Each structure stands twice: as C-alpha cells, then as structure tokens.
Amino acid sequence: MKVDLFDFHLPEELIAQTPLEERTASRLMVLNKEDGSLSHSHFRDITKYLKPGDCLVLNDTRVLPARLFGEKEDTGAAIEILLLKQEEGDAWETLVKPAKRVKEGTIITFGDGRLTAECVGIKDHGGRILEFKYDGIFYEILESLGDMPLPPYIKERLDDSERYQTVFAKERGSAAAPTAGLHFTQELLKEIEDMGVHIAFITLHVGLGTFRPVSVEDLQEHEMHAEFYQISEGTARLLNEVREAGGRIISVGTTSTRTLETVATANDGRFTASSGWTNIFIYPGYEFKAIDGMITNFHLPKSTLIMLVSALAGREHVLHAYETAVKERYRFFSFGDAMFIL
C-alpha cells in the first residue's frame, strides 16, 4: 500500500497555532465508520453520542518540559537539548542542537549551574546520551528550567503551558501531549460519568517519533517508533466487564488506541494488566480487537496517524471527511478540532 494514498491538500492557515480559550468549544465532526456519513457539532455536546455502559479510555501521560537551553562549560557556546527518554539512572537519550558541538566528554550547564550534563554516548541516529548531575529533585528542576516541547508545526509561543496538558495528566514521561484528550474538562468528564459512561485510564508516553514523517513509498516498509505503555489491573478488569456487558470501548486518541490494541492482540482480545514497549503500526487491513470507536484530532497528510484512523473508518470515508473538514474550515492538529468515529 502506497503512502501517497493518504495524502490530501491542507492549507497552512488551518493548522491551529494556539488553543481555544475554552477546551470544550472545539468543533466536533462525527463520522459513521459503516456508511461514511458525517454530522457536525461542538465538543461540549459529545454526550449526545455516548451511551450508558460505554467506556471512554483516556491516556493520563504528562508532558515533560523537555526542552532545555544551556551552554558548553568550556566555550560558553549555546546548546539546545530535547529529552527523549530516560535510560538508566540520570542518563537520558536526547536530541542536541548543534549536535556537532557535543562530543563524548562535553559538559553542558543549565540555569547557572543548577543542572549539568555530560555527554557519555552517541547514538547511531545522531542523538546524544547525557548524564545529568544536580542537587535536589530532577523533575522539580526540570519544571523550573525546561520549556514545553511543542510540535514543529506550531510556531506561536504558548503562554500557559498547562494548555498543552490534559486536565487528567498524571504520569510524567511524554515528549508530546495526547492531544485528543485536550478537549475535556473535569466538568465534562463528571457529566459523562453521571450519565453512566465509565472512565478508564491507561498510560502511553508519546515519543517524538509521532512527528516523524513516513519516508518510504510503501507503508509496509515503515518502522514505527517504540513507546512505553502501562495498563493497570483495575483498568483491564473494567474493560473486560464493559466488553462482556455489551458496552462500547471508545479510545480517546491514537495513543490510547495503540495501547489497547497492543494489549488485546497479545491476549486473544482480552485485557490484562501489563506494561512494556509497543511499536504497533495500524493501517488499513488491520482487524481491531479492542476498540469500537475513537475520538481523535485531525492529522497530518501521509502520517501514520491518518493511516490508523483510516484502518478504523476506511480510507475513502476518512479522506472524504478530511476534504469536508478543509472545506468547512476545521482547525487541524494538536490545538485543533476533534473527530468522533463511531
């Protein structure tokens, strides 16, 4: 299957640069995956499309302020780093700019020396392994020194970093937000629960590979990035009970979807408490084992995310929905509008 089959024209001005003042004010396109029919609403009205006994599955990962600006200890040259994932102890895999200035043994200082890092290894793709030294608690220092790592297509500065976190974000470790969850408020979640819909949480720490373009012509040759996931015993039990009672499992976002499908695939369609790394690649032809519907944002042309959505709703249905979204001036990507596939 060719990657170009998932291309569409997206005017640049439709890429949302800032979040709406009110999270639930986003528009909502509802796509029927069986017949491709569309309807238009607002996210605050999502309860119209939920039923008692359904289960919404949310990703409770919290985005790290993972972008740090420092300088080389010996020359004072400016260095920017992006934390990718923790290795062992205080060692992290990072992206460094300019990378050519950082060799093994290079010392970088941040925040007048409150935090220092030594380059202790170089990855094949050019990333650097940095080992940090500090007094106190690493994550507290990171919160005070780091910037939010917004996606490359967002050019505007974010005034309130919490707007790039979901209201239920808890487990620190993501390089990017699970953006479908940004539309929810605590009040809306309570309203959903009060109508008899279950709320379940999983964790998947989103990696920057999410933004990596597909560079091969044939999508079967694309290698997905691996991301850490975790599903608790309580969540697994609830999902099995919902399934047995005939309720729908609705994932909020592609990250929740990938987690649920990873776990269900490994357990003959059932859910069990587990954690590990997943590089599952979902594209048309995939048979879903875990979810019945999905809430998601509008994604990049030719991305693995639009391929996943197309696997659930059908490529032609999805591309027609996206053409309609462009025509109707929907907002795209992280701070954009939402789609409910049911």
Side-chain angles (χ1 to χ4, degrees):
M1 187 173 284
K2 299 298 182 184
V3 172
D4 286 344
L5 290 172
F6 301 90
D7 198 9
F8 65 94
H9 173 64
L10 177 64
E12 189 172 348
E13 66 269 19
L14 295 186
I15 300 175
Q17 293 295 312
T18 54
L20 297 179
E21 185 173 338
E22 171 54 48
R23 289 177 185 262
T24 62
S26 299
R27 294 168 73 186
L28 177 68
M29 178 185 288
V30 181
L31 169 60
N32 184 310
K33 65 178 184 288
E34 303 303 329
D35 62 16
S37 60
L38 301 172
S39 59
H40 305 275
S41 186
H42 286 86
F43 201 85
R44 67 175 70 93
D45 300 318
I46 199 164
T47 51
K48 294 178 181 177
Y49 307 97
L50 298 170
K51 304 172 185 175
D54 287 345
C55 184
L56 277 186
V57 184
L58 304 166
N59 183 0
D60 65 3
T61 187
R62 184 169 180 82
V63 186
L64 293 173
R67 194 179 301 277
L68 288 163
F69 298 90
E71 56 185 40
K72 287 180 66 175
E73 187 177 60
D74 53 354
T75 66
I79 301 291
E80 176 185 342
I81 75 161
L82 188 63
L83 302 177
L84 295 182
K85 68 178 182 181
Q86 193 168 7
E87 298 281 324
E88 285 188 33
D90 290 314
W92 285 74
E93 181 183 346
T94 68
L95 292 178
V96 175
K97 291 197 306 188
K100 63 183 179 181
R101 289 185 177 173
V102 178
K103 301 176 171 57
E104 286 195 36
T106 298
I107 305 292
I108 308 167
T109 65
F110 308 91
D112 296 327
R114 289 176 59 201
L115 182 67
T116 64
E118 178 182 356
C119 178
V120 295
I122 298 177
K123 304 286 279 188
D124 291 341
H125 59 72
R128 301 302 196 259
I129 304 296
L130 299 183
E131 185 159 358
F132 288 92
K133 292 188 172 73
Y134 52 89
D135 290 322
I137 299 172
F138 177 75
Y139 287 112
E140 290 183 358
I141 295 171
L142 189 62
E143 290 285 348
S144 65
L145 295 180
D147 283 357
M148 201 59 74
L150 293 177
Y153 45 75
I154 294 179
K155 313 298 183 188
E156 298 286 330
R157 183 173 177 83
L158 183 62
D159 293 331
D160 178 8
S161 63
E162 283 301 306
R163 289 299 273 111
Y164 193 58
Q165 304 277 17
T166 63
V167 298
F168 44 82
K170 185 175 71 170
E171 303 293 337
R172 291 183 294 206
S174 244
T179 54
L182 294 177
H183 303 283
F184 290 91
T185 61
Q186 294 292 3
E187 292 77 15
L188 179 58
L189 288 172
K190 185 177 187 307
E191 183 181 347
I192 289 169
E193 279 193 298
D194 287 348
M195 64 178 285
V197 175
H198 304 283
I199 304 288
F201 294 96
I202 57 90
T203 302
L204 183 135
H205 293 319
V206 188
L208 284 183
T210 291
F211 307 121
R212 182 163 61 93
V214 179
S215 58
V216 295
E217 290 186 13
D218 192 325
L219 62 87
Q220 282 95 338
E221 297 174 6
H222 178 68
E223 185 176 339
M224 285 291 286
H225 55 284
E227 296 168 317
F228 180 80
Y229 73 89
Q230 189 165 357
I231 178 170
S232 69
E233 188 173 326
T235 290
R237 186 187 314 113
L238 173 59
L239 292 173
N240 287 325
E241 290 171 354
V242 168
R243 174 63 52 77
E244 289 163 7
R248 297 180 301 175
I249 295 175
I250 298 165
S251 61
V252 177
T254 57
T255 61
S256 296
T257 300
R258 293 180 69 231
T259 301
L260 295 175
E261 291 297 325
T262 295
V263 174
T265 298
N267 296 282
D268 296 324
R270 288 187 63 78
F271 301 97
T272 61
S274 59
S275 64
W277 294 84
T278 179
N279 63 349
I280 189 172
F281 183 14
I282 298 174
Y283 54 86
Y286 177 84
E287 292 187 13
F288 284 84
K289 304 162 190 68
I291 70 166
D292 302 292
M294 175 169 56
I295 298 167
T296 185
N297 281 19
F298 290 90
H299 305 295
L300 280 165
K302 298 197 287 188
S303 65
T304 60
L305 305 180
I306 193 174
M307 293 170 193
L308 186 155
V309 173
S310 297
L312 181 62
R315 186 183 70 88
E316 292 183 359
H317 289 166
V318 168
L319 288 180
H320 171 66
Y322 272 54
E323 289 169 7
T324 303
V326 170
K327 181 180 177 182
E328 298 293 330
R329 310 295 290 178
Y330 273 70
R331 289 156 47 94
F332 277 68
F333 306 158
S334 297
F335 291 137
D337 295 315
M339 173 188 282
F340 191 174
I341 301 171
L342 44 68

